[in-house]
Amino acid sequence: MNQPDLRVNLAGIAMKNPVTVASGTFGYGPEYADLIDLNRLGAIVVKGVSLNPCPGNPLPRIHETPAGMMNAIGLQNPGAKAFIKTYLPFLANYDLPVIVNIWGRTIEDYEGVAELFEGEPGVAGLELNVSCPNIKEGGNSFGTHPDLFEQVISAVRKKTTRPLLVKLSPNVPDITVFAKTAEQAGADGLSLINTLPAMAIDVETRRPRLANVVGGLSGPAIHPVAVKLVWEAARAVNIPIVGMGGILDPEDALEFIIAGASAVAVGTATFHEPTTVLRIIEGIEEYLLRHHLKSIAELRGTLKTGAR
Amino acid sequence: MNQPDLRVNLAGIAMKNPVTVASGTFGYGPEYADLIDLNRLGAIVVKGVSLNPCPGNPLPRIHETPAGMMNAIGLQNPGAKAFIKTYLPFLANYDLPVIVNIWGRTIEDYEGVAELFEGEPGVAGLELNVSCPNIKEGGNSFGTHPDLFEQVISAVRKKTTRPLLVKLSPNVPDITVFAKTAEQAGADGLSLINTLPAMAIDVETRRPRLANVVGGLSGPAIHPVAVKLVWEAARAVNIPIVGMGGILDPEDALEFIIAGASAVAVGTATFHEPTTVLRIIEGIEEYLLRHHLKSIAELRGTLKTGAR
Amino acid sequence: MNTQLEKAIIIKNEPWTPEYYLLEFSAPGISQKAAPGQFVHVKIPDRRDILLRRPFSIFKAESGTLSILYKSVGRGTRHMAKLHAGQAVNLLGPLGKGFPIPDTNKKTLLVAGGYGMAALYLTAARAQTPGLLFAGGAGKKDILCAQDFTALGWDVRLATEDGSCGTHGLVTNILDAWQARNGKSSEPELFACGPMGMLKAVAQRAKEWNCTAWISLDHYMACGMGACLACVQKINRDGEERLACTCKEGPVFEAREIIWEES
Amino acid sequence: MNTQLEKAIIIKNEPWTPEYYLLEFSAPGISQKAAPGQFVHVKIPDRRDILLRRPFSIFKAESGTLSILYKSVGRGTRHMAKLHAGQAVNLLGPLGKGFPIPDTNKKTLLVAGGYGMAALYLTAARAQTPGLLFAGGAGKKDILCAQDFTALGWDVRLATEDGSCGTHGLVTNILDAWQARNGKSSEPELFACGPMGMLKAVAQRAKEWNCTAWISLDHYMACGMGACLACVQKINRDGEERLACTCKEGPVFEAREIIWEES
Ligand SMILES: Cc1cc2nc3c(=O)[nH]c(=O)nc-3n(C[C@H](O)[C@H](O)[C@H](O)COP(=O)(O)OP(=O)(O)OC[C@H]3O[C@@H](n4cnc5c(N)ncnc54)[C@H](O)[C@@H]3O)c2cc1C
Ligand SMILES: Cc1cc2nc3c(=O)[nH]c(=O)nc-3n(C[C@H](O)[C@H](O)[C@H](O)COP(=O)(O)OP(=O)(O)OC[C@H]3O[C@@H](n4cnc5c(N)ncnc54)[C@H](O)[C@@H]3O)c2cc1C
Ligand SMILES: Cc1cc2nc3c(=O)[nH]c(=O)nc-3n(C[C@H](O)[C@H](O)[C@H](O)COP(=O)(O)O)c2cc1C
Ligand SMILES: Cc1cc2nc3c(=O)[nH]c(=O)nc-3n(C[C@H](O)[C@H](O)[C@H](O)COP(=O)(O)O)c2cc1C
Ligand code: FES
Ligand code: FES
């Protein structure tokens, strides 16, 4: 039988398959390059980059939870210029669309970093991480306040011609409000979900497990939450969606696609098993073959919710 | 050494220890009474009761997830009158405060069920489940819309003299807004968290795992989310809090207490191991002894967040 | 009620057919109380990510030993297949209302598919007089324990869809054939456990033949104790339509009571 | 880089001291490449709720066999203690930059606490000339493998806080004593692995004695590959202050480079 067509055009980013990696879990490219052939990925989403270097949070930065983990890395990164100098040339060696996850603490920060990447041919698209507090607006998160959310997307949209994905925060009562706002503000696609706000305490010392007190929960524990949000968002907008949150097995990725995602990203599972992303690609292909589907597009958004 | 004092006065409800059960996971009392001595519980919170009987959702109603489960029971219950007739006399045989979890689809529903329990001496308190859509207001959930939320609490407050706990939905960007609103509207205490909205798909059939499509995620998977919300709520209000969500081990319960909860409720873990609630009580006592704490009050809200 | 929690020790856990495993426990408490058609709720040991217990019909229960026949189908049963003798497993049971004692004035007909043969074994073992077992499946591999019934002196009739064993066809075909030949001479009482399609077909027969059929239902369960309402079945009992917990009032219901969902 | 994923087969998993276990694998790939002070990142088998791998220093590595000494302290290591010979365990390694080859112009002094003795063994085994091992702990049970060093011809000096073995006191006391007596005659080179307090004390000595100390740090890790930034340590290298991944640029750093956090 013919191999199914795994290709996806994600908001203008040509992916050879629908599988990428979640920002912050795969570094900037070189980290896993000796274990995993990067040419096999549909795309790479690099760790969040900001205009200026950022030292991140004090240690401990991670804590394991049942079927999940919490992190409060604090978006440590070398800054956009160092990223461009150190990592873009490395990534240029691969046949691999590079999606740069960007963030800031003010709208100007976001604009600045988006602008910097305009001149970089090695960048296929931008992913806007809006789960940061706006330090000018009293620390309200860009990702959970509709006004700030709209403003930051509109601002960045004016500064970039690249495909622009907006990464949604799961921490809202109605994801469709944010999905639609992003679409209207000019987003070319959505990524979801980011981590769930969480906390853990060492009861012996009565101290938080993370130096930052609060962190983001990821991993299989949150997968059912992510599937629900992807399904709701996919029905609310006409732009493509990258589904992520807790993918460990191919079935987890397929759930996102059936719920309406065009692509998926593997995050925390890479720490468990670095080859997960490859196993997901293979598993999706095997599934399409077994179900006689000619392309991934034939599977997308085909959830049957009618009477049983 | 002396036994530590485990007693808690929860908004006027005298509990012999800080451990109760989460609504919907322990039935109405008789179900587990042959396996567990109900007299050992700090209180019982019964399955949600509405003014009229409710048939609940079609099957399947549950689905297991990594370190968690989803349910969409649909609040099946025999109605308040049948509950009063069948279960209150049974519960009267025990030295056990009975907290009745109530819900409705309109404000009038809520008022009606609260009023019904006014005449019942066997009821120690009410727990208001606000995670239901208001059918009159276009299906907006009482629990995530501040206005509806305030209205339903104020309305019920007028109808009941009993200690009134309000059970918060986790699905909001800022729990302190709802915690404070509840306090101002007359709540005597808060319960949190309810389940996280979630969804799962059978990729072979491409059907939702639950007939209701969407369900609520519970179990250890959500514990770190719950701890964060309890901690935030506890610092925002002066009324006591019942912490719940994913308790499996005594440490999980202790985290809630250190984060500021006055009591805790064991939910999904009862399905895994029916005696969990007893093991939690014993574990808390053992911890207090080991840490030379004379009472549970000495532990409450003692999280140390200062420099390490 | 005599449900208890018991720390059972595995005596044996081994392949029984190409697809099923026999798991034998030392469980003096539960095995002594077990009645035909009841089940145990098994906590998957060492796997705290697998929160829910798994329900399995009690196959045999005698002199302190309890056994189940299970098929490895998902993450819980796959893990069960790795357990070995000497390990402790926490059981909750016996649970549910099983099959009644067969009416000696009637002809006892057991109808089984899949694990149904295990679920019906104790009914046969404890019946006063042997009856007939009609068992079916897709193929030979689905016939679990015909020899155990034969050893009890029961008349075992088999049917497989691929014809690899017994009559070629559905188990209801051979049941119908029996009825056509013997239905007039003796009133049957049916006891059925198996896939939903088979159960519905048996209930249909009971209606047509105007006889009693006891049907064991298989719904997803969380608590097993009637507390969570995961497993309800709409029934009509004493003229009242209501939802009954399969785990507590079932898994066995009289066919007439069951209000089947359309599907 | 020569890090690989390897399906290692357990040869042996048995108590080594009252608190530590020896876990020996057949792992031809990683064992061949392993250098002193490197570690492996162990996937806990059969426990998908335990997502993160666990880092353990490589104890011995020869002829295809790799071993670690681990203490059962939490849910991962508790599960490891249940593994048995023949089981497969996925290892990621060898990871990190370990200890350099001891400078033969200096006196090689190893300083160990807890699992530090395991982490330092290969340094001793592969050193050109034997040096001294100073090992300490709360009590005798914390002295892991003195005999392995003695067998290599190393001079082993022990100290325990309860005096149950060796000198009564801290390991730094016996180190100081040595230095007071021999510090003038030969320049020491220190290699240390153990609890944070001990490491800081050793770094302090290195500063006072103006000698080189190689310090192996123990931070929580997720990826082990320099990708997640969970494990960073602030260092000053070549005049530049920056955050280095302990898993990749460490776990071993020169004491002078390390910028210790206040605590
Ligand atoms: C009263 C009763 C008696 C049973 N007796 C037997 C028996 O004797 N032998 C046997 O092989 N099987 C029996 N089953 C079915 C058995 O419970 C399931 O095959 C088993 O739970 C599957 O678990 P899993 O983890 O491998 O599958 P998964 O699909 O991973 O399970 C996920 C969840 O779905 C539930 N589930 C999946 N399939 C079923 C099913 N068919 N019925 C109920 N719940 C299910 C599981 O319990 C679990 O909660 C019985 C079921 C019931 C309700
Ligand atoms: C480079 C390195 C080498 C090590 N070598 C050894 C060794 O040879 N022998 C040995 O017994 N131990 C060693 N450790 C410590 C060992 O990794 C931890 O004891 C182990 O991870 C605890 O796992 P757990 O699941 O039992 O504990 P849990 O407390 O349940 O673990 C929860 C999480 O915290 C992490 N964690 C807990 N304690 C530590 C710790 N001390 N250091 C780092 N992470 C921790 C775990 O890895 C896991 O992610 C080493 C640590 C590092 C960083
Ligand atoms: C260690 C770690 C670091 C992360 N860093 C970022 C980041 O820099 N930017 C971002 O948008 N998301 C970041 N995330 C979130 C992930 O990209 C992803 O949205 C989330 O982890 C859910 O997917 P998962 O469950 O598969 O890990 C990070 C997650 C982890 C675990
Ligand atoms: C099967 C099931 C039924 C529930 N029914 C109710 C209910 O009727 N009313 C309510 O307020 N919460 C209900 N809940 C939510 C629980 O009370 C609790 O808030 C939630 O499960 C989190 O706790 P846990 O993780 O310990 O289960 C139900 C939960 C489950 C699993
Ligand atoms: S399984 Fe909980 S009520 Fe039947
Ligand atoms: S553990 Fe991930 S960077 Fe070191």
Side-chain angles (χ1 to χ4, degrees):
Chain A
M1 200 187 140
N2 286 338
Q3 289 306 102
D5 185 356
L6 289 181
R7 286 172 303 165
V8 170
N9 181 318
L10 181 79
I13 305 168
M15 295 170 65
K16 56 173 90 76
N17 63 58
V19 186
T20 180
V21 289
S23 177
T25 64
F26 207 78
Y28 295 107
E31 294 84 353
Y32 280 108
D34 289 318
L35 286 181
I36 287 164
D37 179 1
L38 300 185
N39 286 321
R40 293 190 55 195
L41 306 187
I44 184 172
V45 182
V46 299
K47 166 87 189 149
V49 171
S50 53
L51 192 54
N52 300 309
C54 172
N57 289 326
L59 267 53
R61 291 179 168 185
I62 57 164
H63 173 65
E64 196 185 59
T65 68
M69 69 174 279
M70 287 162 51
N71 88 82
I73 305 297
L75 295 167
Q76 176 189 333
N77 78 93
K81 283 187 188 135
F83 166 75
I84 289 169
K85 212 177 117 200
T86 317
Y87 298 107
L88 279 185
F90 171 87
L91 289 166
N93 297 321
Y94 294 88
D95 171 24
L96 178 69
V98 175
I99 300 173
V100 182
N101 180 282
I102 59 170
W103 65 275
R105 298 205 200 276
T106 62
I107 298 219
E108 297 73 39
D109 278 0
Y110 277 102
E111 290 177 328
V113 63
E115 245 175 331
L116 257 184
F117 287 111
E118 254 326 76
E120 295 302 329
V123 173
L126 299 179
E127 182 181 63
L128 207 63
N129 177 3
V130 291
S131 301
C132 323
N134 181 333
I135 53 169
K136 281 204 182 163
E137 298 281 342
N140 277 335
S141 165
F142 286 106
T144 54
H145 285 73
D147 294 348
L148 290 176
F149 181 77
E150 200 278 328
Q151 283 166 33
V152 71
I153 299 169
S154 297
V156 169
R157 178 71 289 174
K158 293 199 189 86
K159 300 292 179 187
T160 187
T161 57
R162 296 291 150 77
L164 179 64
L165 307 174
V166 173
K167 186 159 177 184
L168 303 184
S169 164
N171 201 29
V172 295
D174 185 352
I175 198 82
T176 65
V177 171
F178 289 83
K180 285 182 198 153
T181 303
E183 184 175 36
Q184 280 151 19
D188 300 306
L190 303 175
S191 296
L192 59 158
I193 61 176
N194 215 315
T195 54
L196 294 177
M199 176 172 166
I201 297 169
D202 179 340
V203 300
E204 292 304 318
T205 62
R206 298 194 225 166
R207 288 189 174 284
R209 293 280 188 180
L210 299 178
N212 189 53
V213 184
V214 170
L217 183 66
S218 63
I222 70 167
H223 181 255
V225 173
V227 172
K228 189 237 178 197
L229 294 174
V230 164
W231 179 66
E232 289 182 336
R235 292 189 311 159
V237 297
N238 293 310
I239 49 178
I241 289 178
V242 186
M244 73 193 80
I247 295 177
L248 190 60
D249 293 319
E251 291 71 31
D252 303 327
L254 289 162
E255 285 191 57
F256 283 124
I257 292 169
I258 294 168
S262 296
V264 296
V266 177
T268 301
T270 294
F271 305 151
H272 182 69
E273 179 50 59
T275 56
T276 303
V277 59
L278 304 182
R279 205 166 54 83
I280 302 297
I281 298 169
E282 288 157 12
I284 292 176
E285 179 157 14
E286 185 272 326
Y287 176 94
L288 294 178
L289 269 173
R290 189 158 51 80
H291 285 260
H292 308 291
L293 294 166
K294 289 196 208 66
S295 71
I296 189 78
E298 284 186 11
L299 184 65
R300 180 160 62 244
T302 57
L303 182 73
K304 303 173 202 157
T305 53
R308 295 186 165 244
Chain B
M1 200 186 141
N2 285 338
Q3 288 307 101
D5 185 355
L6 289 181
R7 286 172 305 166
V8 171
N9 181 316
L10 182 78
I13 304 168
M15 296 171 63
K16 57 173 90 77
N17 63 58
V19 185
T20 180
V21 290
S23 176
T25 64
F26 207 77
Y28 296 107
E31 295 83 352
Y32 280 107
D34 290 317
L35 286 181
I36 287 163
D37 179 2
L38 300 185
N39 286 321
R40 292 190 56 196
L41 306 187
I44 184 171
V45 182
V46 299
K47 167 85 190 152
V49 170
S50 52
L51 192 54
N52 299 309
C54 172
N57 289 325
L59 266 53
R61 291 176 168 188
I62 56 164
H63 173 66
E64 196 185 61
T65 68
M69 69 174 281
M70 286 162 51
N71 88 82
I73 305 296
L75 295 166
Q76 176 189 333
N77 78 92
K81 285 189 187 134
F83 166 74
I84 290 169
K85 211 176 116 200
T86 318
Y87 299 108
L88 279 185
F90 171 86
L91 290 166
N93 297 322
Y94 296 88
D95 170 24
L96 178 69
V98 175
I99 300 172
V100 182
N101 180 283
I102 60 170
W103 64 276
R105 298 204 199 276
T106 62
I107 299 222
E108 297 73 40
D109 279 358
Y110 276 102
E111 290 176 326
V113 63
E115 245 175 332
L116 257 184
F117 287 111
E118 253 328 73
E120 295 302 330
V123 173
L126 299 179
E127 181 181 64
L128 206 64
N129 178 3
V130 291
S131 301
C132 322
N134 181 333
I135 53 168
K136 281 205 181 163
E137 296 281 342
N140 277 336
S141 164
F142 286 106
T144 54
H145 285 73
D147 294 348
L148 290 176
F149 181 77
E150 200 278 329
Q151 284 166 32
V152 71
I153 299 168
S154 297
V156 169
R157 177 72 289 174
K158 296 201 189 82
K159 301 291 179 188
T160 187
T161 57
R162 296 292 151 77
L164 179 64
L165 307 175
V166 173
K167 185 157 176 185
L168 302 184
S169 163
N171 201 28
V172 296
D174 186 353
I175 197 82
T176 65
V177 171
F178 289 83
K180 286 182 198 155
T181 303
E183 184 176 35
Q184 280 152 19
D188 300 306
L190 304 175
S191 296
L192 59 159
I193 60 176
N194 216 317
T195 54
L196 294 178
M199 175 175 168
I201 298 169
D202 180 340
V203 301
E204 293 305 318
T205 62
R206 297 192 225 167
R207 288 191 175 283
R209 294 280 189 180
L210 299 178
N212 188 53
V213 184
V214 170
L217 184 66
S218 63
I222 70 167
H223 181 254
V225 173
V227 172
K228 189 235 178 197
L229 295 174
V230 165
W231 179 66
E232 289 181 337
R235 293 189 310 159
V237 298
N238 293 311
I239 49 178
I241 289 178
V242 187
M244 74 193 79
I247 294 178
L248 190 60
D249 294 318
E251 291 72 30
D252 304 326
L254 290 162
E255 286 191 56
F256 283 124
I257 292 169
I258 294 168
S262 297
V264 296
V266 177
T268 301
T270 294
F271 306 151
H272 182 68
E273 178 50 59
T275 55
T276 303
V277 60
L278 304 181
R279 205 165 55 84
I280 302 296
I281 298 168
E282 289 158 10
I284 292 175
E285 180 157 13
E286 184 272 327
Y287 176 94
L288 293 178
L289 269 173
R290 189 157 50 81
H291 286 259
H292 309 291
L293 295 166
K294 289 198 208 63
S295 71
I296 190 78
E298 286 187 11
L299 185 64
R300 181 161 59 244
T302 57
L303 182 72
K304 302 172 200 157
T305 52
R308 295 182 166 244
Chain C
M1 196 188 55
N2 54 12
T3 297
Q4 66 168 96
L5 283 161
E6 185 163 26
K7 185 175 156 182
I9 306 295
I10 299 179
I11 297 170
K12 204 189 261 182
N13 184 28
E14 55 189 33
W16 176 260
T17 67
E19 286 180 344
Y20 279 79
Y21 293 75
L22 169 77
L23 183 48
E24 202 175 280
F25 299 103
S26 164
I30 297 175
S31 69
Q32 194 207 308
K33 301 172 190 164
Q38 286 190 304
F39 65 97
V40 285
H41 219 18
V42 179
K43 180 154 95 178
I44 310 295
D46 269 336
R47 282 297 298 262
R48 288 156 60 98
D49 56 328
I50 302 185
L51 271 190
L52 298 179
R53 288 170 180 253
R54 302 297 195 251
F56 296 95
S57 302
I58 295 168
F59 173 35
K60 295 185 180 173
E62 42 189 3
S63 28
T65 299
L66 185 103
S67 62
I68 62 176
L69 288 180
Y70 68 96
K71 186 167 173 177
S72 171
V73 296
R75 55 185 195 146
T77 48
R78 265 198 300 275
H79 191 81
M80 283 169 63
K82 293 187 201 157
L83 301 175
H84 46 79
Q87 272 185 286
V89 177
N90 189 290
L91 302 181
L92 173 62
L95 291 173
K97 211 179 132 293
F99 293 107
I101 295 173
D103 183 339
T104 45
N105 295 321
K106 298 177 185 165
K107 192 74 192 164
T108 309
L109 306 185
L110 312 183
V111 191
Y115 74 77
M117 288 183 82
L120 287 162
Y121 174 78
L122 275 190
T123 297
R126 299 190 182 174
Q128 273 196 283
T129 40
L132 286 86
L133 167 73
F134 298 87
K140 193 173 174 175
K141 65 172 181 8
D142 297 303
I143 306 300
L144 288 193
C145 51
Q147 64 294 350
D148 285 291
F149 288 83
T150 318
L152 294 170
W154 282 58
D155 183 351
V156 176
R157 314 272 176 103
L158 305 176
T160 54
E161 288 167 52
D162 65 2
S164 56
C165 176
T167 308
H168 194 139
L170 295 174
V171 67
T172 38
N173 298 151
I174 55 174
L175 180 64
D176 289 343
W178 181 89
Q179 160 74 8
R181 221 167 311 125
N182 310 284
K184 305 255 145 46
S185 55
S186 58
E187 188 190 343
E189 184 181 28
L190 296 161
F191 298 76
C193 184
M196 193 53 100
M198 190 202 91
L199 297 178
K200 283 189 182 172
V202 170
Q204 185 58 34
R205 302 294 183 282
K207 201 171 171 186
E208 287 167 16
W209 307 342
N210 192 25
C211 69
T212 301
W214 303 98
I215 306 280
S216 181
L217 294 175
D218 172 354
H219 292 324
Y220 285 28
M221 296 180 174
C223 70
M225 301 288 292
C228 73
L229 309 181
C231 67
V232 296
Q233 174 62 45
K234 200 188 270 185
I235 62 166
N236 186 323
R237 188 174 287 176
D238 307 326
E240 185 205 359
E241 218 175 79
R242 62 185 179 85
L243 295 164
C245 292
T246 310
C247 65
K248 194 154 182 163
E249 296 193 61
V252 176
F253 295 94
E254 225 266 63
R256 266 180 284 256
E257 300 180 326
I258 299 173
I259 301 173
W260 303 94
E261 309 261 304
E262 299 86 270
S263 75
Chain D
M1 197 188 57
N2 55 12
T3 297
Q4 66 167 96
L5 284 161
E6 185 163 26
K7 185 176 158 183
I9 306 296
I10 299 179
I11 297 171
K12 203 188 263 184
N13 185 27
E14 55 187 34
W16 176 261
T17 67
E19 287 180 344
Y20 278 79
Y21 292 76
L22 169 76
L23 183 48
E24 202 175 281
F25 299 104
S26 165
I30 297 175
S31 69
Q32 193 207 310
K33 300 173 191 163
Q38 286 191 304
F39 66 96
V40 284
H41 219 19
V42 179
K43 180 153 96 179
I44 310 295
D46 269 334
R47 282 298 297 263
R48 287 158 61 100
D49 56 327
I50 303 185
L51 270 189
L52 298 178
R53 289 171 180 252
R54 302 299 195 247
F56 296 96
S57 301
I58 295 168
F59 173 35
K60 295 186 180 172
E62 42 190 2
S63 25
T65 300
L66 185 102
S67 63
I68 62 177
L69 287 181
Y70 69 96
K71 188 168 173 176
S72 171
V73 296
R75 56 184 194 145
T77 47
R78 266 198 300 275
H79 191 81
M80 283 170 63
K82 292 188 202 154
L83 300 175
H84 45 80
Q87 272 186 285
V89 176
N90 188 292
L91 302 181
L92 173 63
L95 291 173
K97 212 179 130 293
F99 292 106
I101 296 173
D103 184 340
T104 45
N105 296 319
K106 298 177 185 166
K107 192 76 193 167
T108 308
L109 306 185
L110 312 184
V111 190
Y115 73 79
M117 286 183 84
L120 287 163
Y121 175 76
L122 274 190
T123 297
R126 300 191 182 173
Q128 273 196 283
T129 39
L132 286 86
L133 167 72
F134 299 88
K140 192 174 175 175
K141 64 171 183 6
D142 298 303
I143 306 299
L144 289 193
C145 50
Q147 64 294 349
D148 286 290
F149 289 83
T150 319
L152 294 170
W154 282 58
D155 183 351
V156 176
R157 315 273 175 101
L158 304 176
T160 55
E161 288 168 51
D162 64 3
S164 55
C165 175
T167 308
H168 194 139
L170 295 173
V171 65
T172 38
N173 298 150
I174 54 173
L175 180 64
D176 288 342
W178 181 89
Q179 160 72 8
R181 222 169 310 124
N182 311 281
K184 303 254 145 48
S185 55
S186 57
E187 189 191 341
E189 184 180 27
L190 295 160
F191 297 76
C193 183
M196 192 55 99
M198 190 202 92
L199 297 179
K200 283 189 182 172
V202 170
Q204 184 60 33
R205 301 296 182 284
K207 201 170 170 185
E208 287 166 17
W209 306 343
N210 192 26
C211 70
T212 301
W214 302 98
I215 306 280
S216 181
L217 294 175
D218 171 353
H219 291 325
Y220 285 27
M221 295 179 175
C223 69
M225 302 289 291
C228 74
L229 310 182
C231 67
V232 295
Q233 173 62 44
K234 199 188 268 184
I235 62 166
N236 185 322
R237 188 174 287 176
D238 306 327
E240 185 206 358
E241 219 175 77
R242 63 185 178 84
L243 295 164
C245 291
T246 310
C247 65
K248 193 153 184 166
E249 297 193 61
V252 176
F253 295 94
E254 225 265 63
R256 265 180 286 255
E257 298 180 330
I258 299 172
I259 302 172
W260 302 93
E261 309 261 303
E262 300 85 271
S263 76

